[in-house]
Amino acid sequence: MKILVAVKRTVDPNVKVRIKADGSDVDIGAAKMSMNPFDEIAVEEAVRLKETGVATEIVAVSVGPAASQDSLRHALAMGVDRAILIDTTQVLDSLAVAKLLRAVAEREKPDLLLLGKQAIDDDAAQTGPMLAALLHVGQAVAASKIQIQDKQITVIREVDGGQETLTLPLPALVTTDLRLNEPRYVKLPNLMLARKKPVETLTPAELGLEVAARVIKLKVAEPPSRKAGVVVKTVDELIDRLRNEAKVLP
Ligand code: AMP
């Protein structure tokens, strides 16, 4: 069984991003970058499926500038077999990325596509569903457990108020939730070895695609700052404040 994992290079989750002075975007010029945390979970799951003999080959793919190789090399160090960079400096939206990933999927013909539930930079949570639709394969998003048996995948997914269990025929696309696993710590020697592994580089044109974003970011703004909270001493005081100050109770 072959797995294709999509990995995006995003700002490190521990970095506190600032908005550019003109409000056009966030300023990540000098920020530390990492593999999107949900994609790290996707890579970990793929590697575990290979370690347990369910998967035979894992291919990681990233769309972005040359620096996205860092995330691909991290994936290689975690245990991925091959890495593909779709090299572009264009600003892309989810549909454009999904189209590029579809082109790679059509070449690679994976049995399972693993993506993150969302990328922590744009929080779009769209690429997985769009890619599944473009490929006409079933999808299960926000997976917290997966099991593969007899060319079928059973996915427990996190939904509002509980969990849902789905069974899909392979090929299928699954996006990862935080509870799926805890990614392994990558040791330095593995990272050094991964630096020497080849990363296949393709351009959108080589995939026969000219992609452009249809969604344009107009403005980025800080959320309004919240007032400090109040610690109430009794339930009666809480009800009184909700009724007379917040005016949310009759
Ligand atoms: P999004 O729809 O942007 O929230 O991203 C959801 C998931 O799609 C991510 O967790 C990745 O697995 C995948 N993805 C999004 N953008 C890229 C990209 N530029 N390169 C590779 N994978 C991506």
Side-chain angles (χ1 to χ4, degrees):
M1 192 185 87
K2 183 167 174 178
I3 304 178
L4 188 69
V5 196
V7 301
K8 184 177 187 186
R9 179 175 181 262
T10 56
V11 68
D12 188 273
N14 299 313
V15 170
K16 179 152 176 22
V17 288
R18 291 215 175 84
I19 294 175
K20 287 183 182 171
D22 64 1
S24 60
D25 209 338
V26 288
D27 188 2
I28 51 164
K32 179 173 185 259
M33 304 293 280
S34 300
M35 188 193 306
N36 179 41
F38 289 100
D39 302 350
E40 220 178 324
I41 293 171
V43 172
E44 175 66 33
E45 198 63 20
V47 172
R48 288 186 191 187
L49 286 169
K50 190 168 174 203
E51 286 170 346
T52 50
V54 178
T56 45
E57 190 184 14
I58 311 165
V59 181
V61 56
S62 191
V63 181
S68 303
Q69 285 202 15
D70 295 352
S71 295
L72 289 171
R73 295 202 186 279
H74 192 91
L76 287 164
M78 286 175 77
V80 158
D81 298 294
R82 283 195 289 125
I84 302 171
L85 169 69
I86 304 176
D87 193 352
T88 173
T89 50
Q90 259 182 289
V91 177
L92 299 173
D93 58 15
S94 305
L95 184 60
V97 173
K99 284 180 178 171
L100 290 166
L101 294 177
R102 170 180 60 177
V104 174
E106 282 171 348
R107 284 181 163 207
E108 296 290 337
K109 305 203 181 336
D111 303 285
L112 176 64
L113 295 108
L114 279 176
L115 284 83
K117 174 174 83 168
Q118 67 199 72
I120 60 159
D121 49 5
D122 57 22
D123 273 343
Q126 296 187 124
T127 311
M130 285 175 169
L131 178 58
L134 290 171
L135 290 169
H136 301 288
V137 297
Q139 61 177 292
V141 301
S144 59
K145 191 171 181 356
I146 65 175
Q147 202 180 3
I148 294 168
Q149 219 169 15
D150 303 331
K151 295 209 176 289
Q152 279 198 331
I153 181 164
T154 302
V155 181
I156 298 180
R157 53 182 298 261
E158 304 285 314
V159 292
D160 283 349
Q163 293 184 326
E164 181 181 59
T165 305
L166 300 176
T167 299
L168 299 93
L170 295 175
L173 182 147
V174 174
T175 73
T176 59
D177 205 342
L178 285 178
R179 289 206 187 97
L180 184 59
N181 62 50
E182 203 172 307
R184 67 198 57 198
Y185 178 75
V186 179
K187 294 192 190 111
L188 193 60
N190 289 0
L191 274 174
M192 301 303 277
L193 278 176
R195 293 209 163 273
K196 294 193 189 126
K197 292 193 184 169
V199 170
E200 186 185 354
T201 302
L202 295 166
T203 59
E206 281 169 331
L207 290 168
L209 284 171
E210 260 185 51
V211 284
R214 296 180 188 205
V215 178
I216 312 293
K217 200 180 289 177
L218 297 181
K219 196 175 116 189
V220 177
E222 293 268 5
S225 55
R226 287 168 49 177
K227 285 197 217 146
V230 180
V231 179
V232 292
K233 292 202 177 68
T234 62
V235 174
D236 285 345
E237 188 192 344
L238 173 67
I239 292 171
D240 179 62
R241 281 178 179 267
L242 289 175
R243 181 168 293 135
N244 299 314
E245 279 178 33
K247 299 203 190 303
V248 291
L249 288 182

